[in-house]
């Protein structure tokens, strides 16, 4: 009997990973953002000796702690899910992918774990200087851990610094710096961490505004709003720059993702950027005649500019990417998806033949098959694709998530400018409408972050590793029912813990920055 | 020994060291399992929670790093064991997940489930977490049921190279008596270490004498299970590897032979066991002595490290397959490439530096012992 992988197993494994990642990303960005803000506040306390800043820093630290614990919990599951649910992936690229994870543990997690205890429990046990250093080292550790996991994620989107070894049947690292310093990794790191800084700032603004609405803790709130808004504005300005870098990287390395982000089916020269658009739900396939949009307002030439730095440059659409034939930057005609699938199958067949020849000690045949494998390896993952439609990610989800992220990003810039301006003019404490807007912007910060990850991860489907391994071939061989059970286990547990976290957070906020107990 | 071979041994040494550190840090779990047994009053439970609660991150991080280092250095283990023994690893992860929030949330208002529930979560992690980890490590000696076929990647319909050979996906490990005995040995060791840590870290006229008293039955149970497992290990057939062909075969007294053929490992093991026994015995006999945790802790690291070295060095299959002997994992057939092991070895140079700052921060926090006054008056407590 020929064994097969149940497609529902692939879907449930995807769902479980997505669930864990999305929950994890509810907590991590606040850790990254709030961590820096509280460290800045403690630094002011260290410099001025003003107890007001100690009390302010400690209040945000308390919220940081409540949030941190659950982020750690979801992160543990995420790391081990690479093994539990994506075992083929773990072998096929573990030689490269495992390294950043181990470095993350050795160099970042231990720093975080060591100094967070000093940060929380050391106020009266260590010197002021050592405490401040511990606060900074905690957030540096958290940020470094973000770096290494994003190096790993970026490598999946743009596999660099590796070579396939047919004898071990896996990809192996040949250039560590190409992995660790890949342009996709660097850009992704800054873009992601900055998004955490923005969320941290929105959170500080929102919570402080709640106190102003309740006419409590006015001095504390105004100081927090000022710190948060300055920090948020700097982060927002930088995020525009890294966002542009992200779009450029996607255009170069993952053109299908870019096409999905834009709902672009027909490419061409001088393509406009879709500003506001409504996709046509009647568009069923990539090559039917239905218009992809019910309406679409474009900025002329902007997509070409963002993708290629040239208003007139060619940008392929989904149909072009599937059917091929368009001119590539190298001057050749792009292969069609079917041609890539055929070459992928050749690569897989060549690997099989190579293994047989090696076993039979037929060196000549092995050499020939190895050459065929090397020639076609760039398309290895396509060999597992059964139908070209599998190569198209969910366009609607990617398209709308991208717009949600960008629109909210622009909105936050405006919010920070307004908050800073009216704080500077000493008016914000009386502006109840702006205070309410700040308060209700907190969930928007989370939505923006989730939307960003949906663009990054849904947009790259079906690939676990771009062009090399689709999710369907990256999987662990489990019963679908096992993954269903763990999916719901995690869903219930994470949801319960999230409700508990929100409950504790609300109580702590209601209590406010209490007086400090000195022993 | 060529460079590649040397690096494989070096990385197995680091994995073994991390394993040893992880078992030592399970004193956090041991403390959780004793929460309701020893903590007679709210203040006592609070002291116990704060004592282990300021260290849980180390245990957690060591587990994560243990996983990460295994992934980087022996990825075939990561894919085979985690993807195959699915349920046992998921259960361990769940235990650690509920622990991660419980310290922080248990005493906070608005925590949804109530203080008692979070403390029960900690107790569950303390009992199940350590027993399951020990049971999982037991499979390093008793074997597991999996098949590895790297050629499977070319089968388009089912390209998964590591498959589990039974539908229990790891749960069957608890049916092997020797795995469970090792699990129980780890559990009671964790409790012994927790008692020693409380003696070192808490000042309380009622709790600490009871900790010393409690050491006797806990240490007796630990020794019973550990010695049973150890004697069995010395007498058992082991999974040997022919270094020339890579063929795995059963060899009588393999682990005993390993210790004889690696006298340094044997000496380290004996020093470790003596350290554990000395730490326990002197803590029982000298009522004012508080340093037992350091002797027993160091002893634990050395003992566990030596046992893991015994499982992977000297041409031994460290993760044997009882479903297909030739699928067994060795440090040679499951490791990363030479380039990756080399690169990661440069990173490992930072480990002493990491250990140094952990020691410094740990010492800074522990200089002042936990007492009931701090629990009552300070706002910097769980």
């Amino acid at each position: 009997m020929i064994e097969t992988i149940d497609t529902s197993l692939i879907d449930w494994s995807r769902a479980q990973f997505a669930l864990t990642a999305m929950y994890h990303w509810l907590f991590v960005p606040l850790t990254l953002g709030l961590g820096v803000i509280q460290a800045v506040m403690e630094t002011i306390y260290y410099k001025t000796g003003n107890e007001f800043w100690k009390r302010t820093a400690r209040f945000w630290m308390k919220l940081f702690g409540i949030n941190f614990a659950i982020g750690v919990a979801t992160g543990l599951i995420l790391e081990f899910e690479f093994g539990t649910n994506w075992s083929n992936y773990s072998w096929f690229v573990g030689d490269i992918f495992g390294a950043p994870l181990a470095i993350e543990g050795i160099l970042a997690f231990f720093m975080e774990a060591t100094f967070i205890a000093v940060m929380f429990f050391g106020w009266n046990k260590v010197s002021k200087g050592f405490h401040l250093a511990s606060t900074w080292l905690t957030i540096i550790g958290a940020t470094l851990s973000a770096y290494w996991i994003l190096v790993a994620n970026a490598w999946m989107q743009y596999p660099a610094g590796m070579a396939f070894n047919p004898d071990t049947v896996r990809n192996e690292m040949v250039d560590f710096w190409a992995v660790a310093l890949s342009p996709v990794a660097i850009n992704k790191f800054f873009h992601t961490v900055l998004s955490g800084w923005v969320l941290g700032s929105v959170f500080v603004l929102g919570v402080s505004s709640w106190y102003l609405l309740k006419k409590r803790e006015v001095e504390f709130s105004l100081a927090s709003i000022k710190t948060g808004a300055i920090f948020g504005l700097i982060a927002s300005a930088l995020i525009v720059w890294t966002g542009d870098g992200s779009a450029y990287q996607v255009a170069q390395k993952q053109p299908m993702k870019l096409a999905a982000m834009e709902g672009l089916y027909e490419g061409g020269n001088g393509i406009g950027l879709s500003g506001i658009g409504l996709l046509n739900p009647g568009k069923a396939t990539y090559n039917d005649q239905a218009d992809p949009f019910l309406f679409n307002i474009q900025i002329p030439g902007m997509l070409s500019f963002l993708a290629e730095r040239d208003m007139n440059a060619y940008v392929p659409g989904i149909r072009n990417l599937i059917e091929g034939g368009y001119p590539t930057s190298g001057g050749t005609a792009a292969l069609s998806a079917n041609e890539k699938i055929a070459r992928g199958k050749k690569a897989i067949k060549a690997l099989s033949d190579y293994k047989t020849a090696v076993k039979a000690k037929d060196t000549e045949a092995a050499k020939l098959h190895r050459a065929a494998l090397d020639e076609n390896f760039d398309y290895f993952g396509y060999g597992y694709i059964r139908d070209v439609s599998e190569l198209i990610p969910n366009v609607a989800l990617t398209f709308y998530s991208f717009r949600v992220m960008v629109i909210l990003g622009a909105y936050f810039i405006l919010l920070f400018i307004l908050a800073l301006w009216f704080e500077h003019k000493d008016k914000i404490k009386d502006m109840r409408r702006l205070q309410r807007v700040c308060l209700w912007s907190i969930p928007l910060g989370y939505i923006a972050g989730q939307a960003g990850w949906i663009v990054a991860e849904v947009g790259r489907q079906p690939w676990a590793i771009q062009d090399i391994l689709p999710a369907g071939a990256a999987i662990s061989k489990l019963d679908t029912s096992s993954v269903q059970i763990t999916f719901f286990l995690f869903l219930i547990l994470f949801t319960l813990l999230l409700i508990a976290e929100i409950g504790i957070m609300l109580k702590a906020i209601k209590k406010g920055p209490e007086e400090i107990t000195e022993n | 020994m060529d460079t590649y071979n040397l690096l494989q041994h070096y990385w197995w040494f680091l994995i073994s060291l991390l394993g040893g550190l992880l078992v030592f840090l399970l004193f956090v779990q041991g403390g959780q399992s004793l929460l309701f047994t020893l903590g007679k009053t709210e203040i006592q439970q609070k002291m116990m929670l704060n004592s282990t609660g300021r260290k849980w991150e180390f245990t957690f991080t060591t587990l994560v790093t243990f996983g990460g280092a295994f992934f980087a250095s022996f990825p075939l283990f990561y894919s085979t064991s985690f993807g195959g023994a699915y349920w046992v690893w998921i259960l361990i992860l769940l235990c650690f997940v509920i622990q991660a929030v419980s310290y922080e949330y248990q005493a906070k208002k608005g925590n949804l489930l109530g203080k008692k529930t979070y403390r029960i979560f900690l107790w569950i992690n303390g009992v199940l977490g350590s027993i399951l980890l020990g049971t999982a490590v037991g499979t390093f000696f008793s074997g597991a049921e999996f098949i590895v076929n790297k050629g499977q990647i070319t089968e388009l319909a089912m390209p998964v190279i590591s498959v589990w050979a039974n539908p229990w996906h790891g749960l069957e490990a608890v049916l092997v008596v020797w795995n469970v005995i090792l699990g129980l040995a780890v559990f009671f060791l964790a409790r012994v270490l927790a008692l020693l840590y409380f003696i070192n870290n808490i000042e309380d006229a009622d709790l600490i004498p009871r900790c010393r008293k409690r050491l006797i039955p806990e240490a007796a149970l630990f020794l019973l299970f550990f010695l049973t497992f150890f004697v069995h290990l010395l007498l058992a057939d082991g999974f040997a590897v022919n270094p020339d062909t890579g063929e795995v075969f059963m060899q009588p007294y393999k682990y005993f032979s390993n210790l004889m053929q690696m006298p340094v490992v044997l000496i380290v093991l004996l020093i470790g066991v003596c350290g554990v026994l000395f730490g326990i015995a002197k803590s029982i006999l000298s009522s004012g002595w508080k340093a037992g945790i350091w002797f027993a802790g160091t002893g634990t690291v050395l003992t566990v490290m030596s046992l893991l070295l015994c499982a992977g060095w000297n041409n031994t299959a460290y993760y044997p397959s009882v479903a297909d002997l030739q699928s067994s994992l060795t440090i040679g057939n499951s490791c990363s490439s030479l380039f990756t092991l080399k690169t990661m070895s440069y990173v490992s140079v930072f480990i002493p530096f990491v250990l140094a700052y952990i020691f410094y921060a740990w010492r800074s926090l522990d200089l002042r012992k936990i007492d009931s006054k701090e629990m009552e008056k300070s706002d910097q407590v769980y």
Side-chain angles (χ1 to χ4, degrees), chain B residues 123-338:
Chain B
W123 181 83
I124 291 172
N125 180 52
V127 176
L128 263 186
S130 41
I131 292 180
L132 286 174
L133 264 178
T135 305
V137 173
T139 60
F140 282 28
F141 300 98
S142 63
E145 294 184 38
F146 61 86
I147 296 164
V148 177
N149 173 16
K150 290 177 188 166
Q152 192 73 31
I153 200 97
T154 60
E155 298 298 324
L156 298 183
M158 210 302 279
V160 181
I161 61 167
S162 294
V163 292
W164 213 246
N166 70 51
W168 298 100
H169 284 284
L171 289 180
E172 74 284 352
V174 299
L175 298 177
V176 179
V177 68
W178 300 111
N179 294 344
V180 179
I181 286 174
L182 184 59
L184 289 169
V186 169
F187 170 66
F188 285 108
L189 175 62
R191 282 161 75 92
V192 165
L193 292 171
L195 292 167
L196 294 173
Y197 186 66
F198 289 148
I199 290 168
N200 178 269
N201 189 233
I202 297 175
E203 275 175 3
D204 187 83
D206 176 54
L207 181 64
I208 298 309
R210 282 196 289 114
C211 285
R212 288 191 194 275
K213 207 172 153 192
R214 185 87 203 175
L215 262 180
I216 300 167
E218 300 291 342
L221 284 166
F222 158 64
L223 286 174
L224 172 72
F225 288 112
F226 175 72
L227 291 174
T228 307
F229 177 81
F230 188 62
V231 170
H232 159 74
L233 193 68
L234 295 180
L235 301 177
D237 291 357
F239 299 84
V241 187
N242 181 327
D244 301 322
T245 62
E247 189 200 354
V248 179
F249 59 96
M250 298 308 295
Q251 183 182 318
Y253 306 109
K254 171 64 181 162
Y255 302 107
F256 178 73
S257 315
N258 281 356
L259 288 175
M260 293 300 114
Q261 288 160 15
M262 298 187 290
V264 175
V265 175
L266 176 65
I267 291 166
V268 172
L269 176 74
L270 292 176
I271 293 172
V273 172
C274 290
V276 173
L277 294 177
F278 177 74
I280 295 170
K282 192 160 181 198
S283 297
I284 293 169
L285 298 173
S286 310
S287 61
W289 196 61
K290 294 183 173 186
I293 182 67
W294 301 121
F295 286 92
T298 311
T300 300
V301 175
L302 297 180
T303 306
V304 175
M305 189 181 80
S306 313
L307 287 176
L308 288 174
L309 290 178
C310 202
W313 278 5
N314 200 38
N315 302 315
T316 314
Y318 71 86
Y319 197 53
S321 171
V322 289
D324 170 30
L325 206 53
Q326 299 317 315
S327 288
S328 300
L329 305 191
T330 67
I331 60 171
N333 70 13
S334 66
C335 67
S336 283
S337 65
L338 174 63

Side-chain angles (χ1 to χ4, degrees), chain A residues 80-380:
Chain A
F80 283 93
E81 273 181 1
F82 285 112
T84 54
N85 295 85
W86 306 100
S87 72
N88 238 26
Y89 170 90
S90 295
W91 171 249
F92 200 58
V93 295
D95 192 70
I96 308 137
F97 191 84
L101 261 67
I103 298 172
E104 185 187 20
I106 296 168
L107 299 186
F109 283 152
F110 272 114
M111 187 186 286
E112 207 178 349
T114 304
F115 293 104
I116 200 168
V118 182
M119 186 177 91
F120 284 128
F121 303 106
W123 281 102
N124 305 318
K125 296 193 176 191
V126 299
S127 69
K128 256 168 87 172
F130 183 34
H131 192 276
L132 178 66
S134 300
T135 304
W136 276 109
L137 286 168
T138 301
I139 189 58
I140 289 170
T143 309
L144 277 178
S145 81
Y147 179 74
W148 287 109
I149 194 63
L150 290 168
V151 162
N153 179 278
W155 186 83
M156 297 163 83
Q157 320 259 354
Y158 170 53
M162 58 108 183
F164 184 72
N165 182 344
D167 296 313
T168 52
V169 194
R170 66 175 175 193
N171 292 283
E172 294 178 353
M173 186 154 51
V174 293
D175 183 350
F176 175 74
W177 298 113
V179 176
L181 299 176
S182 103
V184 177
I186 301 286
N187 201 87
K188 191 174 265 289
F189 167 70
F190 282 112
H191 196 60
T192 310
V193 170
L194 287 168
S195 77
W197 289 12
V198 170
L199 176 69
S201 305
V202 171
F203 183 82
V204 168
L205 242 65
V207 173
S208 305
S209 294
W210 183 80
Y211 286 122
L212 292 180
L213 280 166
K214 296 285 171 191
K215 300 194 185 305
R216 288 175 54 191
E217 304 289 348
V218 175
E219 191 193 356
F220 159 86
S221 302
L222 292 177
S224 295
I225 285 175
K226 190 177 179 182
T227 314
I230 292 172
F231 183 61
L233 195 57
I234 294 168
S236 295
L238 292 171
I239 219 169
V240 173
W241 170 58
T242 57
D244 171 67
S246 289
Y248 179 74
Q249 298 290 355
V250 167
Q252 303 303 311
K253 323 290 186 203
Q254 296 172 299
M256 182 62 89
K257 186 196 278 186
L258 183 75
M261 283 159 66
E262 283 299 304
L264 180 70
Y265 283 83
E266 290 296 332
N269 292 89
I271 297 289
L273 181 75
S274 173
I276 300 170
L278 195 61
L279 292 172
N280 178 5
K283 180 141 187 85
T285 60
Y286 74 92
N287 55 357
D288 63 19
Q289 297 306 308
D291 190 324
F293 287 95
L294 294 177
F295 83 88
N296 187 20
I297 300 170
Q298 287 191 323
I299 307 167
M302 188 50 81
L303 186 63
S304 288
F305 180 76
L306 289 176
E308 301 291 342
R309 306 303 191 225
D310 171 1
M311 300 282 273
N312 245 333
Y314 182 86
V315 180
I318 293 171
R319 191 185 64 78
N320 313 104
L321 289 162
I322 296 294
E323 294 181 353
Y326 62 87
T328 63
S329 54
T332 55
L335 294 181
S336 71
N338 277 321
E339 286 169 314
K340 289 178 183 175
I341 289 171
R343 290 190 63 176
K345 288 191 192 304
K346 268 188 198 168
I348 293 170
K349 173 82 169 45
L351 173 61
S352 176
D353 293 342
Y354 171 82
K355 298 292 282 181
T356 310
V358 169
K359 209 170 178 181
K361 296 187 175 148
D362 184 346
T363 44
E364 275 309 303
K367 211 170 157 186
L368 278 174
H369 297 310
R370 172 79 196 251
L373 174 62
D374 290 346
E375 193 187 331
N376 295 293
F377 185 76
D378 286 349
Y379 306 97
F380 190 88

Side-chain angles (χ1 to χ4, degrees), chain A residues 477-495:
Chain A
K477 180 89 169 72
L478 296 163
D479 301 324
T480 307
S481 60
S482 295
V483 186
Q484 284 170 328
I485 292 169
T486 49
F487 173 87
F488 286 109
L489 258 177
F490 291 147
L491 179 65
I492 293 165
L493 182 65
F494 292 161
T495 306

Side-chain angles (χ1 to χ4, degrees), chain A residues 15-30:
Chain A
Q16 180 165 303
F17 200 83
L19 172 84
T20 319
M22 289 181 87
Y23 263 97
H24 188 53
W25 197 249
L26 283 177
F27 312 108
V28 173
L30 189 61

